[in-house]
Amino acid sequence: DQQVKQNSPSLSVQEGRISILNCDYTNSMFDYFLWYKKYPAEGPTFLISISSIKDKNEDGRFTVFLNKSAKHLSLHIVPSQPGDSAVYFCAARNAGNMLTFGGGTRLMVKP
Amino acid sequence: EAQVTQNPRYLITVTGKKLTVTCSQNMNHEYMSWYRQDPGLGLRQIYYSMNVEVTDKGDVPEGYKVSRKEKRNFPLILESPSPNQTSLYFCASSLWRTGNLYNEQFFGPGTRLTVL
């Protein structure tokens, strides 16, 4: 049973608009949540994180929101750019530095 | 340049022929890990290592072995590969947990393995 789920396998957005990627989790022991970005033929790269004791973290165009009661987090990208087109993985940390990943969402930003 | 390297990047092999995928990092990280990526399943952890000579199973360890004889290297060994091990494999490394901070995991470029 997947503890971290991304229910949208793909998302298409117009350049300049907001992209919202969603993630749900089941394990209340996760203490950190992350977003990783992956381009074809490359390894995932870290994008942004949020501690379970916070509800929002912002870094430039990227903002992650955490709703602990709903066990839901989201990544907002504003404004979206064509270079943001990639696969985005949500992940959660439990014991030590071990990560559990969601299935990924492919974001396509159209010019 | 700080990086995680994997070799080979692409490999096609046949069932039962032992193979090793190497992983090396130059950041003096204690923690190293192997993942496999499959469509719709994201990245699933195979094995991880918290330091030299310390390894443990992840979520999908069956059919794999690892070793950590040196801090910088963490090879993944498939003693008798089978077609269900056809996948995209990633090695990652990070500092071990320091307090409540998140220590970013750095990923290698991936190894695409096909087992016929």
Side-chain angles (χ1 to χ4, degrees), chain A residues 2 31-32 34 36 38 41-46 49 51 87 89 93-104, chain B residues 9-10 31 35 37 40-43 45 48 59 88 90 94-97 99-105 107-109:
Chain A
Q2 284 187 288
D31 69 345
Y32 252 96
L34 318 309
Y36 273 80
K38 184 183 179 305
E42 295 183 10
T45 54
F46 172 71
S49 67
S51 165
V87 176
F89 290 102
R93 184 180 83 170
N94 47 18
N97 210 32
M98 295 166 59
L99 300 181
T100 300
F101 284 84
Chain B
R9 293 290 311 277
Y10 303 91
Y31 183 87
Y35 297 87
Q37 183 192 349
L41 297 177
L43 285 84
Q45 190 174 51
Y48 65 96
D59 296 321
L88 180 58
F90 291 100
S94 72
L95 293 171
W96 185 233
R97 188 174 178 139
N100 291 322
L101 297 177
Y102 171 65
N103 294 314
E104 176 185 347
Q105 286 198 25
F107 284 80

Side-chain angles (χ1 to χ4, degrees), chain B residues 56-91:
Chain B
D56 208 347
K57 296 177 181 178
D59 296 321
V60 288
E62 294 77 20
Y64 304 95
K65 285 175 58 177
V66 293
S67 69
R68 187 92 181 271
K69 292 184 170 56
E70 305 163 284
K71 197 172 187 179
R72 63 183 294 127
N73 296 323
F74 190 45
L76 179 69
I77 303 154
L78 284 72
E79 295 267 1
S80 182
S82 62
N84 65 12
Q85 293 177 298
T86 293
S87 188
L88 180 58
Y89 291 86
F90 291 100
C91 180

